[in-house]
Amino acid sequence: MTDTARETFAKAFEPLTLPEIQAAHTLIADHVFVTPSITWPGEELPKQLGIGTKVSAKLELLQRTGSFKARGALVNMLKLTADQRT
């Protein structure tokens, strides 16, 4: 891998900042459902991960698309300029 490719790859995976996350939340708030998080009801998965482990699941399948993908897609689509949308 070239140095340029490494730099491009590293930049693509920089962690988001809290203000970036908050801005994305505000941007898509009117377009997605607030989905619940639940504590995993079974015992098998926590046993495999270690006694005392609590497992939570975010029920994104309740989005209109049935997946979490609506959030990322909407953030990117809503940031497009009018020229980019045509």
Side-chain angles (χ1 to χ4, degrees), residues 4 19 22 28 31-33 36 39 46 63 66 68 70 73 75 78 80-81:
T4 304
Q22 291 169 327
I28 66 172
H31 304 283
V32 295
F33 297 120
T39 300
Q63 292 295 340
F68 68 92
V75 168
L78 292 171
L80 294 174
T81 65

Side-chain angles (χ1 to χ4, degrees), residues 33-36 58-69 71:
F33 297 120
V34 175
T35 54
K58 182 82 167 121
L59 301 181
E60 290 297 300
L61 63 116
L62 299 176
Q63 292 295 340
R64 288 186 183 116
T65 61
S67 70
F68 68 92
K69 295 173 185 168
R71 295 181 191 278

